[in-house]
Amino acid sequence: MNEAQEDVLKPLVFRVDESTPRVVQSVLLERGWDKFDEQHQDVEDWNLYWRSSSFRMAEYVNIKPWQRLNHHPGTTNLTRKDCLAKHLAHMRRLYGESLYEFTPLTFVMPKDYTKFVAKYFKEKQDLGTKPSYWICKPAELSGGRGIIIFSDIRDLMFKGSYVVQKYICNPLLVGRYKCDLRIYVCVTGFKPLTIYMYQEGLVRFATEKFDLSNLEDYYSHLTNSSINKLGVSYQKIKEVVGHGCKWTLSRFFSYLRNWDVDDLLLRQKINHMVILTVLAMAPSVPVANNCFELFGFDILIDDNLKPWLLEVNYNPALTLDCSTDVSVKRSLVHDIIELVYLNGLRSEEKKSGRMSPGNSVVSLASSNQSELCTAPDSPSYASLIQFTTTTRTAGSKGNPSVQHLCPKHTRTSQLREMISRQSRLLAKEAAKSKPRHKARHSPRKMLSPHKAKGPAGILPEAGSTPNDHAGNFVLIFPFNKATFGASRNGLNVKRIIQELQKLMNK
Ligand code: ADP
């Protein structure tokens, strides 16, 4: 075996710091990756850097083609509660209230204090003796920290940046417990915009019964698991909910189906909401290559089955507190790696018709349940979102779960095999055109799509159609030919909104 062959068979290398969730490291090791060793490895000799804090601009600028970062610059525009509120308010002004009426009325403090006071007293007058409910949340904190729920303005206290929001006081209750959904969304690029939604997720429960007469009981009103796992009722078997404070999303949708709820419609509404939210900030995001961002969307469903966006989380928690966490989050991390690392290879394989047996994509184009993506002019998208809305199979123990249309590639051997197969092709091409650089300390350099015009590349080409799914991640944007076009060569938000409106009006 020559040096080049040895290089391409080397495991991929991940870089972490003390903030990286443990599950990320353990999944990567399980997949056969090596951990970056600063002492003994070249400073550029890594493929994925995953950490909680954002990266410095220099790190984005100096990124090498074989490297990936788990954050994109500028994404906190979406994840700070005040920035999110401002972006969504801007979109409401541009495209109309009705399109963006999925967030509760929000005031950014202290800027909107006077507006809030006026609204508060107006509502008080309209409601007469009935109370109105509000929630005040620090703009930058998470985990329910610093939150106050109030109906009397005299109880409002804030210091620094806060948002005050209409409190949704008619949440859908399971048993008699409030819950919200944690939806995982991975944006693999902002220019062109490419959004994937994870089909599994978490439902997080409050651990005390919902009770509007006691606004100070956080175990009844907040669904954060960091709070509820400390509650006295956490371990108790609660009506319908059972032990703990989490369900999988598939269990929740199955529960809804038992109540004759159209869960597909609910999923579609959530898809639209996610796209509209990401669109609100996408134009302001700087161009950066080789980055992806995992967002955690917190969505509350009210008793009219209307989903409300509460917030978008940066670094959604990947701690494993219970068996539900383990099953959802471990697969999530596996699928993220699939999505960001194997997408390019897989799409190249598809293009060249060399699908390996384990990679076959099952077309659902014949299914008749797709309303979300029915662009007749775009066969390649026809099966795409149908997958989002139609796949359900009997999972373990009869629980419906999200179907894996594509078997997982979790084994190192498979990963290396795919990479080395593609790399060998590239190596051949590179050898033909020019003398090879010494690659000992940059084993993936030859996989650079920029350097080699070969049939393979880790990243999909800029103009190529993104893969429709990876594991349980399903592409939700672009969703047809028109949106694909409108997201290239500058993001045409107006055009995209028109397409979305068509879809939503169907
Ligand atoms: P944090 O970042 O601190 O988790 P969130 O906005 O997610 O802040 O709010 C924490 C919890 O408070 C949510 O999970 C939800 O249970 C509840 N909550 C937040 N906003 C509202 C709202 N407008 N109406 C009803 N409940 C809310």
Side-chain angles (χ1 to χ4, degrees), residues 81 104 135 137 141-145 147 165-168 178 180 204 221-224 298 300 310-311:
K81 294 178 183 67
I135 182 166
K137 312 189 268 192
L141 292 186
S142 59
R145 285 170 296 166
I147 287 182
Q165 203 169 62
K166 198 94 203 69
Y167 187 63
I168 310 293
K178 176 174 170 178
D180 72 1
R204 309 166 321 153
H221 292 279
L222 305 187
T223 51
N224 303 81
D298 288 349
L300 185 137
L310 298 184
E311 71 153 345

Side-chain angles (χ1 to χ4, degrees), residues 486-505:
S487 62
R488 256 102 196 125
N489 305 321
L491 191 67
N492 186 343
V493 178
K494 199 171 166 193
R495 178 84 181 89
I496 293 167
I497 297 269
Q498 282 167 355
E499 285 299 312
L500 258 175
Q501 277 171 326
K502 275 193 225 163
L503 206 62
M504 292 161 81
N505 291 337

Side-chain angles (χ1 to χ4, degrees), residues 364-380:
L364 295 169
S366 58
S367 164
N368 59 5
Q369 294 193 53
S370 168
E371 281 300 311
L372 185 60
C373 181
T374 49
D377 56 342
S378 176
S380 63

Side-chain angles (χ1 to χ4, degrees), residues 118-302:
K119 177 74 189 168
Y120 172 85
F121 283 107
K122 163 95 179 51
E123 204 175 274
K124 224 174 159 35
Q125 208 175 21
D126 293 347
L127 288 173
T129 50
K130 277 202 215 149
S132 69
Y133 298 96
W134 298 89
I135 182 166
C136 175
K137 312 189 268 192
E140 274 185 290
L141 292 186
S142 59
R145 285 170 296 166
I147 287 182
I148 302 168
I149 302 165
F150 63 96
S151 77
D152 186 333
I153 201 167
R154 286 172 295 187
D155 294 332
L156 170 62
M157 285 179 297
F158 65 90
K159 200 169 137 212
S161 311
Y162 272 77
V163 297
V164 172
Q165 203 169 62
K166 198 94 203 69
Y167 187 63
I168 310 293
C169 53
N170 60 331
L172 178 76
L173 301 180
V174 173
R176 282 153 65 192
Y177 296 89
K178 176 174 170 178
C179 60
D180 72 1
L181 318 185
R182 164 60 54 88
I183 304 286
Y184 298 102
V185 171
C186 190
V187 177
T188 55
F190 281 89
K191 292 189 173 104
L193 184 60
T194 312
I195 312 173
Y196 289 84
M197 187 148 96
Y198 203 55
Q199 299 302 288
E200 188 51 285
L202 292 172
V203 178
R204 309 166 321 153
F205 289 95
T207 45
E208 297 298 339
K209 288 176 182 151
F210 187 67
D211 179 6
L212 278 174
S213 66
N214 182 2
L215 298 180
E216 278 165 25
D217 185 357
Y218 289 156
Y219 299 113
S220 152
H221 292 279
L222 305 187
T223 51
N224 303 81
S225 31
S226 50
I227 292 179
N228 284 288
K229 70 182 181 191
L230 307 175
V232 287
S233 300
Y234 178 70
Q235 289 298 355
K236 289 187 190 154
I237 297 182
K238 296 170 282 298
E239 190 183 334
V240 186
V241 174
H243 278 295
C245 66
K246 278 181 196 162
W247 278 7
T248 60
L249 196 62
S250 42
R251 180 174 173 191
F252 177 72
F253 282 129
S254 142
Y255 169 81
L256 292 186
R257 281 196 295 279
N258 288 338
W259 286 92
D260 280 340
V261 169
D262 185 351
D263 61 311
L264 299 179
L265 185 66
L266 193 53
R267 276 187 188 263
Q268 286 178 13
K269 287 184 187 167
I270 294 172
N271 278 1
H272 297 155
M273 183 191 275
V274 167
I275 296 171
L276 286 166
T277 306
V278 178
L279 268 183
M281 54 82 75
S284 63
V285 167
V287 179
N289 290 324
N290 297 15
C291 312
F292 63 97
E293 190 76 60
L294 176 70
F295 293 110
F297 277 64
D298 288 349
I299 292 170
L300 185 137
I301 315 287
D302 71 17

